[in-house]
Amino acid sequence: MSSALRHRVATARFDIVAAAVGLLIALALFPLRFFASQIYIRTIPIVLGSSCIIYLLATYRSSPRIQELPTLSKGFRRALPSLVFLCLAVLVALAVQDGQRSPRFLVVAGLTGTLIFLQIAFVRSEGFNRTRVLVQIVALAAVVRFAALYTTPGLIGIDIWTHITGLAGDVFAAESLEAISDNKHYTSPLYHLLVVATALLGDVSLRLGLYLSLGVVMPVSVLLVFASANLLVDERWAAFAAMLYSVGDYVIEWGIHLIPTSMGLVLFLGLCYWLVRTMRTGQDRVALSFMFVLSVAIILTHQVSSFITLVMLGGAFLAYLFMGLDVFRPSILDPDVFRINQPVNIAGLIAFDLGFSTFLWSMTPYKGETFLLTLLSYLRQTLISSAGVLNLAGPSSADGAAPEGADPTLIDVLVPYIDTLGFLLLLFGTFLGCLYVVNRTRARQSTFTLLFSAAIMLVFVLGLPMFGIRSFIPQRWFAFLYLPLVLLTVIGLRHLELSLNRRIVVVVLLLFAAAFPTVMMVSANGTVDNPVFEGQGAQLAYNQQELAAVDTIGRITGSPDSANILPEQLLYTDHPYQTVLNRNGAYPSRTAGINGTDPVDHEMVVYRQEQARDTTFFESSQGFGVSRDVNESAVCRPEMAVVYTNDEVRMCTQPPAATT
């Protein structure tokens, strides 16, 4: 490279170049909205273009004088914490009165989040009270999550029934891991051991043991986000990051659907804190020890979390390589050149994690093979059968859909945008943060780690699914992805506060404060226990009558194994109710098939009133899941005999005389 070219590269404004390129990419991607209806294809180009334009405005209109944003009046600032705790009391009362997290509960929760955001965004740093705000953040997170756990008679979610009533129940009864030796969690049992140990020590049920251990840790874990962010920005913006993370929809989901993903997420937050701390302050034995211990704990907890952790560590290693390039080496003219630490090489930690994970996965039983071979086989089959440009691999919660046969209403059109608005706001802030950190004079390994990790994770959660590849279970990644997103977001917003016209900054911050907590609270993934809008997805929580029916069906049938019954003896009902019957061990069940307006054609069926009043899914004649409101006569046909019934659920079978 010639000296002239080297000088040009060394003095180039990479952030300006990246903003211009990002704007061109946004313009190039914009026409895709006319060829594909997927919500992210329609919205991400707009978000990317907007963030690039605002960053360029902040760059070219920045003033050497530090501007001050409008601040709350002293009286209002003092009253806000009291208002927040009053709202929290109202939330508790609403949860008890309604017996669920009702729409009005979620609206008040969103308003409470707005009040906390206002205390963070519109106050001077010297007047910011860290402890007071963090207490409010943790309190809101706890109330939102425990309101769902307290008002739900059973468990929330699908996989949780396998983990608690199945695997943890077997370990609890046998007092040994040998009870699950044929399951893939035999080599990743920390979650089940935690639940069983808490239940034994507290002399409580497994459900309460789960809530008293992992359920309590989940809302408190947002403090790890604050600690990580505080290594990058001041306390006020670190609290902003913690607040963003605490009300994230997927973070809320794993706070109420408490499965190994939840525990893996907590350990991941801890590992990322020590990783960022090491890069900011330099290597020390304590930090490295914590990273090794947490890495092992993640591997022994959850396979998907382990893979995501490897992605984060891979991003850190890429950042190490980039920081070694001449163009990113600090100049003696940089104001903080003497405070910059040498990049941290974590190749050893990556090699250890990769080797240990491969070793465990190669001996983990899964569907007759090892987990590693099965995973590679799934990926190969997906690449052969499903991959294709804009092949969205089936519907997702982000797409939104009206029940089959119904014309979409205005709400049906708006729901997908409500579900994704919070994520899009995070992407907007992330793009700003990425543009800020790629400036050569601001390049740090810690921020480049966040940039590379976020980029790689976005490929897995958004990029690969567009080609039909969902073998990596992208839904599980979002809560992990939110960590680098919120950290980059506060870096970007802090830059706007210092550089952009204050009127624009106020509008951006008010948009985050007013919209983000509410849309995240009412989104599909934030309300799996009680969806707000029809079409957001099925309710993954069940009332007392529905759970009583599951227990009774198991007792009257003897809970046979699927290998011991004939195919025509399978029980058919809606999804997700069939998952509870299966995973609770009550009776082998499948999703009922439905063909147009014809009645369900199965010999053993279960009808519940939820099928007529809310979103439930059936299998269409083409083999796809469809949302359909059905009445009782379409499932329990008139000629069928009623075997069991209560106020909500009815089990029917074809009489022997009617069987041909």
Side-chain angles (χ1 to χ4, degrees):
M1 183 184 294
S2 66
S3 58
L5 180 59
R6 185 181 294 109
H7 175 74
R8 181 174 298 180
V9 172
T11 57
R13 287 290 302 270
F14 291 161
D15 54 336
I16 302 299
V17 174
V21 172
L23 186 56
L24 293 176
I25 292 175
L27 292 173
L29 293 178
F30 186 79
L32 286 179
R33 63 189 292 111
F34 302 111
F35 302 97
S37 60
Q38 214 270 355
I39 187 69
Y40 294 126
I41 295 176
R42 289 177 172 269
T43 54
I44 287 181
I46 298 174
V47 173
L48 174 60
S50 301
S51 60
C52 291
I53 291 173
I54 288 181
Y55 184 83
L56 291 173
L57 288 175
T59 300
Y60 287 108
R61 295 189 179 183
S62 61
S63 170
R65 180 179 61 86
I66 297 178
Q67 62 180 353
E68 292 186 355
L69 294 179
T71 57
L72 302 173
S73 66
K74 189 174 182 180
F76 188 48
R77 188 170 67 247
R78 288 181 175 179
L80 276 179
S82 299
L83 286 176
V84 167
F85 283 103
L86 176 61
C87 288
L88 293 176
V90 171
L91 287 175
V92 174
L94 287 175
V96 173
Q97 181 180 358
D98 296 342
Q100 60 184 356
R101 294 195 308 163
S102 60
R104 60 178 182 171
F105 174 96
L106 297 170
V107 170
V108 175
L111 174 62
T112 309
T114 297
L115 296 177
I116 298 176
F117 271 121
L118 292 177
Q119 294 179 66
I120 302 171
F122 299 104
V123 65
R124 291 188 178 90
S125 296
E126 59 270 17
F128 178 73
N129 189 315
R130 176 186 66 180
T131 303
R132 183 169 57 195
V133 171
L134 290 179
V135 168
Q136 295 173 56
I137 293 174
V138 173
L140 176 60
V143 169
V144 167
R145 289 152 178 77
F146 274 95
L149 300 177
Y150 172 77
T151 58
T152 302
L155 301 168
I156 300 172
I158 293 178
D159 293 348
I160 192 170
W161 293 94
T162 296
H163 290 291
I164 298 302
T165 62
L167 300 176
D170 292 343
V171 173
F172 184 86
E175 298 183 353
S176 170
L177 283 176
E178 287 301 317
I180 59 172
S181 59
D182 59 345
N183 188 274
K184 69 176 181 177
H185 293 283
Y186 180 62
T187 57
S188 52
L190 287 191
Y191 165 90
H192 309 90
L193 292 176
L194 173 67
V195 174
V196 170
T198 306
L200 289 172
L201 292 174
D203 193 22
V204 294
S205 66
L206 291 173
R207 174 174 174 265
L208 283 179
L210 173 65
Y211 294 170
L212 293 175
S213 54
L214 192 55
V216 171
V217 170
M218 290 304 294
V220 179
S221 65
V222 300
L223 296 178
L224 291 170
V225 179
F226 171 83
S228 300
N230 200 24
L231 295 168
L232 305 170
V233 292
D234 58 57
E235 289 183 344
R236 186 166 68 94
W237 285 108
F240 199 93
M243 185 60 196
L244 286 174
Y245 193 82
S246 70
V247 296
D249 51 357
Y250 284 93
V251 181
I252 294 174
E253 178 180 3
W254 302 127
I256 60 179
H257 184 192
L258 295 165
I259 58 175
T261 303
S262 309
M263 185 170 174
L265 179 60
V266 173
L267 296 171
F268 176 82
L269 296 179
L271 175 64
C272 289
Y273 164 74
W274 286 105
L275 183 63
V276 174
R277 183 179 183 272
T278 300
M279 294 176 182
R280 300 296 289 186
T281 63
Q283 291 192 35
D284 62 75
R285 292 183 179 180
V286 173
L288 290 175
S289 299
F290 269 109
M291 284 194 288
F292 271 100
V293 170
L294 289 169
S295 297
V296 172
I298 293 172
I299 295 170
L300 294 176
T301 299
H302 189 223
Q303 288 87 0
V304 176
S305 301
S306 304
F307 188 80
I308 297 172
T309 300
L310 284 172
V311 169
M312 172 62 82
L313 296 177
F317 186 69
L318 281 177
Y320 166 78
L321 296 178
F322 264 74
M323 293 305 297
L325 299 177
D326 290 340
V327 70
F328 289 117
R329 287 178 181 169
S331 166
I332 59 174
L333 300 178
D334 290 337
D336 58 351
V337 62
F338 299 110
R339 295 190 291 109
I340 297 175
N341 295 293
Q342 290 296 320
V344 177
N345 187 354
I346 59 168
L349 179 60
I350 295 175
F352 172 80
D353 277 16
L354 187 60
F356 189 39
S357 299
T358 303
F359 170 72
L360 281 184
W361 295 353
S362 63
M363 57 183 290
T364 299
Y366 189 51
K367 297 189 175 182
E369 292 283 352
T370 65
F371 178 80
L372 184 61
L373 289 178
T374 304
L375 177 64
L376 294 175
S377 176
Y378 277 172
L379 181 59
R380 178 177 176 274
Q381 292 174 9
T382 301
L383 291 173
I384 293 174
S385 62
S386 301
V389 177
L390 298 183
N391 180 350
L392 300 178
S396 69
S397 62
D399 297 324
E404 187 184 47
D407 294 327
T409 64
L410 177 62
I411 293 297
D412 295 328
V413 174
L414 291 178
V415 163
Y417 293 93
I418 295 173
D419 281 343
T420 55
L421 179 57
F423 178 65
L424 294 174
L425 285 172
L426 281 183
L427 279 185
F428 170 80
T430 298
F431 291 143
L432 289 174
C434 289
L435 293 173
Y436 177 81
V437 302
V438 296
N439 185 302
R440 189 192 65 82
T441 61
R442 304 167 188 148
R444 303 290 182 271
Q445 185 184 9
S446 54
T447 52
F448 266 49
T449 295
L450 300 176
L451 188 155
F452 288 129
S453 301
I456 298 171
M457 289 186 191
L458 283 171
V459 169
F460 279 96
V461 303
L462 296 182
L464 294 183
M466 289 186 181
F467 293 86
I469 302 174
R470 293 183 178 271
S471 302
F472 297 98
I473 320 178
Q475 188 202 19
R476 302 291 175 93
W477 289 61
F478 277 94
F480 297 82
L481 170 64
Y482 281 1
L483 177 63
L485 293 193
V486 299
L487 296 181
L488 288 168
T489 293
V490 295
I491 291 173
L493 293 179
R494 178 179 176 273
H495 172 62
L496 292 190
E497 180 190 34
L498 298 175
S499 305
L500 191 59
N501 182 287
R502 59 185 245 163
R503 292 186 181 89
I504 301 177
V505 177
V506 168
V507 170
V508 172
L509 292 180
L510 284 177
L511 181 60
F512 271 90
F516 189 84
T518 300
V519 296
M520 282 296 195
M521 293 284 185
V522 303
S523 70
N525 293 97
T527 57
V528 292
D529 57 314
N530 186 32
V532 176
F533 303 106
E534 185 176 356
Q536 276 189 314
Q539 182 178 11
L540 301 183
Y542 309 94
N543 61 40
Q544 197 65 56
Q545 295 293 326
E546 291 168 337
L547 295 176
V550 172
D551 293 337
T552 304
I553 290 172
R555 287 200 305 270
I556 64 177
T557 60
S559 298
D561 188 84
S562 58
N564 299 324
I565 62 174
L566 299 174
E568 58 268 22
Q569 293 177 315
L570 287 172
L571 185 62
Y572 290 86
T573 185
D574 68 88
H575 177 84
Y577 197 48
Q578 59 91 8
T579 64
V580 182
L581 289 160
N582 268 322
R583 294 169 185 258
N584 205 35
Y587 197 91
S589 307
R590 299 290 184 271
T591 303
I594 196 164
N595 185 16
T597 59
D598 296 337
V600 172
D601 185 22
H602 300 295
E603 295 190 7
M604 292 183 63
V605 295
V606 167
Y607 172 82
R608 60 180 181 134
Q609 292 187 14
E610 187 80 3
Q611 296 170 6
R613 65 190 178 207
D614 282 312
T615 301
T616 54
F617 292 92
F618 297 87
E619 187 176 303
S620 69
S621 56
Q622 291 79 30
F624 297 108
V626 294
S627 172
R628 176 72 62 82
D629 294 337
V630 298
N631 55 40
E632 182 177 350
S633 61
V635 179
C636 280
R637 304 184 299 278
E639 70 273 13
M640 302 183 80
V642 177
V643 178
Y644 167 81
T645 184
N646 64 25
D647 293 339
E648 291 280 336
V649 182
R650 179 167 294 186
M651 177 182 177
C652 305
T653 63
Q654 192 79 356
T659 304
T660 57

